[in-house]
Amino acid sequence: MGTASLVTPDLGHAYADALPELVKPWQAAAAPDPSLVLLNEPLAAELGLDGDWLRSPDGVAFLVGAQVPEGATPVAMAYAGHQFGGYSPLLGDGRALLLGELRDPAGGLHDLHLKGSGRTPFARGGDGLAVLAPMLREYVVSEAMHALGIPTTRALAVVTTGRDVARDGGWFPGAVLARVASSHLRVGTFQLTRAMDDVGLLTRLADLAIARHHPDAADAASPYLALFEAVRDAQARLVAQWMGVGFVHGVLNTDNVTISGETIDYGPCAFVDAADPATVFSSIDSGGRYAWGNQPGVTAWNLARFAEALLPLVADDQQEAVEIATASLEGYATTYAAAWTEQVRRKLGLGADASDEVVGPLAEQLAELMRGTPVDHTGFWRDLSAAARGDAAPARDRLLDLEGFDAWLERWRALGPDADAMDRVNPVHVPRNHLVESALESATAGDLAPVHALLAAITQPYDPAGVDEVYRQPAPDGFGAYTTYCGT
Ligand code: AMP
Ligand code: MG
């Protein structure tokens, strides 16, 4: 515990070196009185970071960007993106910084990134800041996703800055989130690069993406097409997982779609309560573009934008490149369908012997039974394991079409579902909206206990043991329609 054991991290700057055109060296805004709110000890250990040092005044200064390790080069990253379908030629990290790259003890490379660290050259009209509640929300929801086995950026720490920030007519504690990602490359990074009309730069970016995320593509006959297909498949698998747990990202703009296949940017995201595909939480998504059920389709749309950005690398002849990319994009539907069928096969406790032709329609019939009822998505799936064990009443009580469900049950049970296997894939604990909301409200008022209790529940998503029942109950009557806010 003595100071002699404290180790400051080494941060690389390979991205900034390889692609100086796509970054602006920058530094964080001063934080008058930084105070550590949450530190993700297990993640720090995985990354080989010294938890004692991170908790020390130097470590906390590091986590708000006030103190940069020698040799590091923090940068704001540039990118473009389609926001709700409209193209913004230059977005970039308006309130974030890439501090640098971390090498974990196993050799893996991670971006260490700060959000809420002050205005950058990409801030446009924004104040560059973040407030405590939304940063805690990203922490809680991204850790829930990780615990659910869904690829995601991770939260390392939340630090309050000691400066209040104006939001919605009030003042709220300012905070910085330190997060870790396998990289912050986005479809929007490629869109910006494509628009810069420099094939050499685009090639450098694509080569870096291949080396960092999809190294097998390097050996393919057409490496950049292989890169596209690797991202296509990673995104298809990711979205199938979101659909399985009822996750609604909320702002699936192309700048929030990663090349790694990790979930990124937890703004207005939320988990569905009722299993309604039209579920939208974000206050700005009035058209339902990013509704729960639209995510697979909108991801195909986002991938088409990625394909367009890559066209000059796919073939010299533009027409030929378009034909190749179009054919390749069609593969998304196949990959998504396979990933989704695999999801529901596991959720229904069925093995490989249950064919796609059986599993697909069974899942569709179940979705049909849930549609139009206020059935709690998470609770219903978990109750199905009881049904597999012989007690169908809890699941049945949630539905309206009881005859239809009984007929469905008979078909499903005939396939011999494995209830224990179902309990390993259908969570009991997800960050339910009413729990998140009240925990964040308490945290803003200075009481972190509910956030810690929620974290304890959601980091053991499949196991109810030792966790208060309130963490698996649906929203209380009167919680009403839930609304989330962007850019908070
Ligand atoms: P997001 O909705 O978090 O994906 O952000 C979209 C864009 O808005 C990104 O370029 C962000 O950096 C930028 N942005 C969001 N909030 C702020 C803020 N408070 N100040 C400056 N830029 C912001
Ligand atoms: Mg974003």
Side-chain angles (χ1 to χ4, degrees), residues 36-82:
L36 186 61
V37 174
L38 284 180
L39 176 65
N40 191 335
E41 306 265 359
L43 176 62
E46 259 176 60
L47 294 168
L49 295 172
D50 181 340
D52 290 335
W53 181 78
L54 287 172
R55 263 182 269 98
S56 75
D58 282 352
V60 174
F62 167 75
L63 289 169
V64 281
Q67 192 168 300
V68 175
E70 215 174 283
T73 309
V75 295
M77 299 170 83
Y79 49 84
H82 277 89

Side-chain angles (χ1 to χ4, degrees), residues 79 186 255-256 265:
Y79 49 84
R186 310 142 189 270
D255 53 302
N256 291 335
D265 275 1

Side-chain angles (χ1 to χ4, degrees), residues 79 83 91-96 115 119 122-130 167 186 251 253 255-256 265 267 486-488:
Y79 49 84
Q83 300 182 300
L91 292 167
D93 290 334
R95 54 162 175 176
K115 189 161 172 176
R119 298 191 84 238
F122 305 114
R124 294 170 291 156
D127 61 8
L129 303 173
R167 288 284 184 274
R186 310 142 189 270
V251 59
N253 294 333
D255 53 302
N256 291 335
D265 275 1
C486 227
T488 35

Side-chain angles (χ1 to χ4, degrees), residues 357-413:
E357 290 65 34
V358 171
V359 173
L362 205 59
E364 191 37 55
Q365 289 151 11
L366 189 63
E368 195 53 51
L369 288 164
M370 293 163 89
R371 213 164 287 155
T373 73
V375 63
D376 176 71
H377 181 259
T378 304
F380 179 78
W381 275 101
R382 190 70 180 200
D383 285 344
L384 275 185
S385 353
R389 292 190 179 98
D391 180 12
R396 198 170 184 273
D397 286 350
R398 296 180 187 269
L399 297 178
L400 298 174
D401 177 3
L402 301 183
E403 250 174 67
F405 184 57
D406 290 342
W408 183 90
L409 267 180
E410 205 173 297
R411 289 194 292 278
W412 172 57
R413 279 177 172 160

Side-chain angles (χ1 to χ4, degrees), residues 133-422:
M135 296 305 101
L136 290 175
R137 182 188 179 79
E138 171 155 346
Y139 191 116
V140 168
V141 182
S142 63
E143 285 308 293
M145 295 292 268
H146 175 73
L148 289 163
I150 300 176
T152 177
T153 62
R154 305 277 314 267
L156 177 63
V158 173
V159 177
T160 46
T161 58
R163 177 208 300 207
D164 282 349
V165 173
R167 288 284 184 274
D168 309 323
W171 291 89
F172 296 91
V176 172
L177 170 81
R179 80 173 175 204
V180 171
S182 71
S183 92
H184 284 79
L185 294 179
R186 310 142 189 270
V187 167
T189 319
F190 281 81
Q191 291 181 287
L192 172 68
T193 307
R194 170 78 177 94
M196 289 162 81
D197 212 17
D198 175 346
V199 176
L201 178 64
L202 185 61
T203 307
R204 262 187 287 139
L205 175 63
D207 286 343
L208 186 139
I210 289 172
R212 206 155 164 184
H213 300 298
H214 305 291
D216 292 348
D219 303 323
S222 178
Y224 304 114
L225 184 65
L227 169 64
F228 172 71
E229 294 187 345
V231 175
R232 176 197 69 188
D233 293 350
Q235 284 293 335
R237 288 191 297 266
L238 177 68
V239 176
Q241 286 190 279
W242 290 354
M243 298 306 291
V245 296
F247 175 76
V248 185
H249 181 283
V251 59
L252 270 187
N253 294 333
T254 56
D255 53 302
N256 291 335
V257 176
T258 58
I259 300 307
S260 64
E262 287 176 347
T263 313
I264 197 169
D265 275 1
Y266 293 85
C269 63
F271 282 73
V272 297
D273 289 307
D276 177 1
T279 305
V280 169
F281 297 108
S282 170
S283 62
I284 59 169
D285 191 3
S286 49
R289 180 181 173 91
Y290 300 140
W292 181 37
N294 284 353
Q295 295 180 122
V298 92
T299 298
W301 192 89
N302 288 335
L303 288 166
R305 307 290 79 77
F306 181 43
E308 283 165 5
L310 286 173
L311 285 178
L313 306 184
V314 169
D316 290 336
D317 178 70
Q318 164 99 0
Q319 193 49 41
E320 190 190 341
V322 169
E323 278 162 24
I324 294 170
T326 304
S328 182
L329 191 60
E330 278 165 15
Y332 171 82
T334 316
T335 317
Y336 179 78
W340 173 244
T341 306
E342 194 47 39
Q343 274 289 308
V344 285
R345 178 182 282 113
R346 286 157 48 90
K347 287 177 80 67
L348 290 170
L350 303 176
D353 51 322
S355 72
D356 290 4
E357 290 65 34
V358 171
V359 173
L362 205 59
E364 191 37 55
Q365 289 151 11
L366 189 63
E368 195 53 51
L369 288 164
M370 293 163 89
R371 213 164 287 155
T373 73
V375 63
D376 176 71
H377 181 259
T378 304
F380 179 78
W381 275 101
R382 190 70 180 200
D383 285 344
L384 275 185
S385 353
R389 292 190 179 98
D391 180 12
R396 198 170 184 273
D397 286 350
R398 296 180 187 269
L399 297 178
L400 298 174
D401 177 3
L402 301 183
E403 250 174 67
F405 184 57
D406 290 342
W408 183 90
L409 267 180
E410 205 173 297
R411 289 194 292 278
W412 172 57
R413 279 177 172 160
L415 301 169
D418 177 342
D420 292 340
M422 292 173 72

